Amino acid sequence: MSNPLDRLGKGRSNRVTTMRAVALRDDTISGRMNDLDEVFSAGGPLGRHIPGYKTRPQQIEMARAIAETIENHGVLVAEAGTGTGKTFAYLVPALRSGGKVIVSTGTKTLQDQLFDRDLPVVRKALQASVTTALLKGRANYVCHYHLERAKNDGRFASRADVGYLGLIASYARTSSTGDKSACGEVPEDAAIWSQVTSTRENCLGSDCPNFKDCFVMKARKNALEADVVVVNHHLFFADVVLRDEGVSELLPACNTVILDEAHQLAETASLFFGETTSTAQLLELARDTRLEGAAAAKDFAALPESAQALEKAAKDLRLAWEGESGRAPAQAALGRKGFVAALDTVAEKLEALNGLLEFQADRSEGLARCWERSCDQLARLKRWHAEPDPDYVRWIEVFAHSLQLHATPLSVGEIFARQLTGTPRAWIFTSATLSVKGDFSHYARQLGLERAEMRSWDSPFDYPHQAVLYVPEAMPDPNDAGYTQAVVNAVLPAIVASGGRAFCLFTSLRAMREAREKIEDGLRKRGLDFPVLLQGEGSRTDLLERFRKLGNAVLVGSQSFWEGVDVRGPTLSLVMIDRLPFTPPDDPVLTARIERINAQGGNAFMDHQLPQAVILLKQGAGRLIRDETDRGVLMICDPRIITKSYGKRVWQSLPPMRRTRDLREVEAFFEEEGQGTAVETARG
């Protein structure tokens, strides 16, 4: 029988060992924190390698919080005001952590910027011997198989595509990555890209004759071997849900996931945790069936005939919804004359094609994939048309040449929270806009992050001296028929005062187009020749480049220019926002979520609609001041920011700018900026 004193001695010894281990770990963490202070100091590695580098206390505090989160495999929601330097604040501790890191950002443009500019700078400054990789969705890489198939098919949407095909073929022969963004001679929105890239549905995988040379597989291999992998949110969620794009292979070995531009996550998650089928997917299925049949089943004439019948049915379904593009609930679509009949015809033709493909599937891998796709599309179509699920909202989205059928979850919080369980790792969510007046509850509810640590750091910019918030007087209600004209009337004197150099941001495309004409007319009547650029007349990158070069332009835009746009210096000195960016009340997903929140005893407006609008408004406002030397005016025309009880909550969530309702103060601000000459010149 063992002596109880021996057991006590062993227990004491174990406790002492544990205490020593904890103390050693705490000393190690403390040492790393002190090292971070040195890294971010003016004389540290960042200061020595980055021209114009400035030490920011907020950046150091954020880096320390992220380092602790990585060390403890925690979950951190980190809001960092514009100018904090959040990218370096998370890259430094991530590169020093010694584990595998996935960084996901909002768009492919930001992904390229992070990989090509920010990551190399930090890696060089730290002299970090880490390997890095860039991974995008398969539709971003030229596919050798589909490129060859397109060349043999010879059917193109336009003559321009014929020329583009030759350029892409030449690029594919010499490129090491096959990333279409590097093929600058071909526009990223050119129709030909869909014919020379693969999708999850039509990729042949290891059965592809070009598998060894596959650009997608090379990118995945590089990502598996790298210490730091840069992806985008669409890729991240496509993989989490579909287990398709290569990230699922990375996650098991990953120690840290950093989600930048994290304010976009709820919307992206809703897209991927839901289900969509579209006429575009059906047309692609019909096209691929015809091409694969021509290659492997020439003797089976019924196959191309059935594909053609599906193609016609899909186009007829789009035509069954007359009128403008937009969104509508399923009930409205199913109640419209001719829509159900067109939907039934699509299902009938798809089922017929599915039967023929099953019969021919063993003749080639391409036909087998087409059969699998037809099975999947048929199942989705039937589920959408079936009895509704109370946890999902069914709706349609109509575009110029296509129609989509959606089933979207009313809440993604519970679904998303499950992604954070399993293998211990750190999760960091960061953006400049995650809270409403410091309150993170809306964001946390959306993604099921109620137990996460929430931290916020204000911008280091001197907003009271650098910026003015201007809300013009005597504005009508935003629902007034003449509201856009009133907005233009109010903004024109401000544009004159600023000498152009303005973003005019609108919450709808219709208002944007109407305002562009009225702004041009107003400037012409004043004898001013400020160039007016419109969203859609060229890519966003091209428009921004023109805006910067012109120096006195007025850019009229909508959603595309509310976030992810960085114009520094005096080129942009006025940002006008026409109204508070509430989601349209007839949006089917919003309507269903409002009904659910109110039915559960909540207040949908205060708990959901207002916080969403404030976060988006903060994004738009964030376009104005991008540097310590920037100065400018944020003009919000919506009178509700003054007249409604919730208005105070809105403007208190914005940076602490000087506030005015007097145009003369705006004019004086630009004159004291040393731009009086520009104003006088503008006035003639």
Side-chain angles (χ1 to χ4, degrees):
M1 184 174 176
S2 62
N3 189 328
L5 294 177
D6 290 339
R7 292 199 301 275
L8 177 62
K10 288 178 182 177
R12 182 178 296 156
S13 175
N14 289 340
R15 283 196 298 275
V16 170
T17 302
T18 301
M19 289 169 66
R20 285 174 178 165
V22 170
L24 181 62
R25 176 175 171 275
D26 288 345
D27 287 343
T28 302
I29 294 173
S30 177
R32 288 183 183 177
M33 295 304 110
N34 292 332
D35 286 349
L36 278 177
D37 290 353
E38 168 60 24
V39 169
F40 285 98
S41 68
L46 295 179
R48 292 195 301 270
H49 286 84
I50 302 171
Y53 175 80
K54 293 182 180 179
T55 299
R56 301 180 181 98
Q58 299 93 329
Q59 187 180 49
I60 298 173
E61 289 179 19
M62 183 179 178
R64 289 171 66 95
I66 289 171
E68 290 174 6
T69 302
I70 293 174
E71 191 80 35
N72 299 322
H73 294 152
V75 180
L76 173 67
V77 176
E79 181 181 56
T82 306
T84 302
K86 63 183 172 64
T87 304
F88 286 5
Y90 65 67
L91 283 180
V92 168
L95 265 59
R96 288 159 50 93
S97 67
K100 193 175 186 75
V101 179
I102 295 176
V103 181
S104 180
T105 192
T107 65
K108 287 178 286 186
T109 301
L110 291 173
Q111 186 184 0
D112 287 336
Q113 177 182 302
L114 183 62
F115 183 77
D116 294 330
R117 189 185 73 183
D118 300 329
L119 190 51
V121 166
V122 175
R123 184 172 60 172
K124 182 179 179 181
L126 297 179
Q127 297 182 331
S129 58
V130 297
T131 54
T132 62
L134 181 70
L135 184 62
K136 299 180 181 180
R138 64 173 72 249
N140 292 279
Y141 301 95
V142 178
C143 170
H144 294 294
Y145 176 79
H146 287 94
L147 174 60
E148 195 62 32
R149 196 183 69 170
K151 287 160 65 177
N152 294 334
D153 178 43
R155 298 189 188 187
F156 306 103
S158 67
R159 286 185 178 181
D161 281 345
V162 179
Y164 292 151
L165 183 66
L167 294 171
I168 293 170
S170 176
Y171 168 72
R173 285 193 296 269
T174 58
S175 174
S176 60
T177 66
D179 187 337
K180 75 177 192 180
S181 67
C183 186
E185 297 169 293
V186 181
E188 284 206 38
D189 58 355
I192 189 65
W193 283 118
S194 67
Q195 293 178 248
V196 299
T197 55
S198 69
T199 64
R200 180 177 65 92
E201 292 85 3
N202 66 20
C203 174
L204 301 183
S206 58
D207 294 310
C208 178
N210 305 98
F211 184 72
K212 289 184 179 179
D213 299 317
C214 177
F215 289 124
V216 173
M217 297 312 299
K218 287 180 181 178
R220 290 184 177 184
K221 182 175 182 294
N222 291 339
L224 283 169
E225 295 171 351
D227 300 309
V228 180
V229 186
V230 180
V231 301
N232 59 67
H233 297 339
H234 276 76
L235 171 64
F236 186 84
F237 279 106
D239 186 76
V240 165
V241 177
L242 304 173
R243 302 292 175 188
D244 172 65
E245 299 286 358
V247 180
S248 58
E249 298 173 8
L250 301 175
L251 277 174
C254 174
N255 303 90
T256 303
V257 176
I258 299 171
L259 297 154
D260 200 350
E261 299 299 315
H263 62 279
Q264 300 176 2
L265 290 177
E267 185 176 346
T268 308
S270 294
L271 175 66
F272 284 100
F273 292 145
E275 201 169 75
T276 297
T277 188
S278 70
T279 58
Q281 289 173 304
L282 297 174
L283 290 173
E284 286 179 6
L285 173 62
R287 180 198 67 194
D288 291 347
T289 298
R290 177 177 54 78
L291 293 174
E292 297 294 346
K298 290 181 181 178
D299 57 338
F300 194 64
L303 197 59
E305 291 173 3
S306 183
Q308 188 174 358
L310 175 61
E311 183 177 327
K312 182 180 183 304
K315 290 179 179 178
D316 287 344
L317 178 61
R318 167 59 189 93
L319 294 173
W321 184 274
E322 299 175 357
E324 292 187 354
S325 302
R327 297 179 170 191
Q331 302 93 306
L334 295 173
R336 181 170 289 206
K337 183 180 179 181
F339 188 84
V340 172
L343 192 62
D344 289 341
T345 301
V346 167
E348 176 192 327
K349 301 304 180 186
L350 180 57
E351 196 150 18
L353 181 63
N354 178 261
L356 295 176
L357 283 169
E358 182 179 12
F359 181 59
Q360 298 292 309
D362 60 353
R363 299 187 69 170
S364 77
E365 183 61 30
L367 285 172
R369 291 300 172 96
C370 286
W371 175 51
E372 292 172 7
R373 291 162 61 189
S374 68
C375 291
D376 178 59
Q377 290 296 314
L378 189 59
R380 288 170 180 255
L381 198 62
K382 288 181 176 178
R383 281 195 293 270
W384 192 89
H385 203 0
E387 199 65 29
D389 184 326
D391 291 326
Y392 285 75
V393 54
R394 295 179 304 155
W395 55 287
I396 70 165
E397 189 162 17
V398 183
F399 301 94
H401 302 292
S402 64
L403 181 145
Q404 296 179 343
L405 307 174
H406 298 277
T408 302
L410 288 173
S411 172
V412 299
E414 186 176 337
I415 306 172
F416 183 81
R418 288 200 294 268
Q419 313 306 318
L420 275 62
T421 60
T423 306
R425 64 173 59 91
W427 292 82
I428 290 123
F429 302 78
T430 184
S431 170
T433 56
L434 296 174
S435 74
V436 177
K437 200 182 169 185
D439 181 1
F440 289 90
S441 57
H442 169 68
Y443 184 77
R445 264 196 316 272
Q446 281 189 307
L447 293 176
L449 300 176
E450 287 88 347
R451 296 184 180 181
E453 182 183 1
M454 314 283 178
R455 297 287 300 277
S456 182
W457 293 272
D458 291 334
S459 168
F461 296 155
D462 185 2
Y463 279 101
H465 290 92
Q466 289 182 253
V468 171
L469 171 61
Y470 169 46
V471 181
E473 292 187 297
M475 289 296 294
D477 186 275
N479 293 320
D480 190 286
Y483 185 72
T484 300
Q485 179 65 66
V487 168
V488 172
N489 292 343
V491 78
L492 278 169
I495 291 174
V496 171
S498 65
R501 306 179 305 136
F503 273 10
C504 294
L505 303 179
F506 292 83
T507 53
S508 76
L509 293 173
R510 180 182 296 177
M512 176 192 79
R513 295 189 190 102
E514 180 186 346
R516 185 268 187 96
E517 294 180 4
K518 295 181 183 299
I519 289 172
E520 282 186 325
D521 184 54
L523 292 174
R524 190 165 48 248
K525 288 178 179 177
R526 286 168 169 79
L528 300 173
D529 60 354
F530 299 150
V532 180
L533 310 180
L534 181 70
Q535 174 184 317
E537 294 181 348
S539 70
R540 186 171 79 163
T541 302
D542 290 340
L543 284 174
L544 285 173
E545 188 61 28
R546 289 175 61 197
F547 182 85
R548 291 187 183 101
K549 285 183 178 178
L550 287 165
N552 65 342
V554 177
L555 192 151
V556 183
S558 185
Q559 190 68 38
S560 292
F561 289 90
W562 279 71
E563 55 184 285
V565 174
D566 190 4
V567 179
R568 303 187 181 206
T571 306
L572 177 60
S573 296
L574 171 66
V575 171
M576 187 283 294
I577 295 174
D578 72 330
R579 65 178 79 199
L580 299 180
F582 289 108
T583 304
D586 58 350
D587 180 274
V589 178
L590 176 65
T591 300
R593 285 177 175 161
I594 288 173
E595 291 174 356
R596 167 69 67 90
I597 292 169
N598 290 338
Q600 293 175 341
N603 182 324
F605 181 79
M606 296 302 293
D607 297 342
H608 183 78
Q609 292 170 274
L610 183 61
Q612 281 285 93
V614 169
I615 287 172
L616 185 53
L617 181 68
K618 287 168 68 177
Q619 277 292 322
R623 299 316 99 212
L624 182 64
I625 304 298
R626 308 296 300 174
D627 193 83
E628 287 91 344
T629 59
D630 284 356
R631 297 181 84 252
V633 171
L634 172 65
M635 179 177 179
I636 300 176
C637 293
D638 196 328
R640 291 175 294 184
I641 198 170
I642 301 295
T643 61
K644 297 295 184 181
S645 58
Y646 58 78
K648 186 176 182 180
R649 192 177 178 194
V650 175
W651 60 255
Q652 285 185 340
S653 297
L654 296 171
M657 307 174 183
R658 281 185 281 165
R659 299 190 301 274
T660 185
R661 305 202 69 189
D662 190 341
L663 175 64
R664 288 172 297 182
E665 290 191 35
V666 171
E667 293 172 335
F669 175 84
F670 285 120
E671 287 172 358
E672 73 186 35
E673 187 187 10
Q675 292 156 2
T677 54
V679 176
E680 294 305 318
T681 301
R683 288 172 174 166

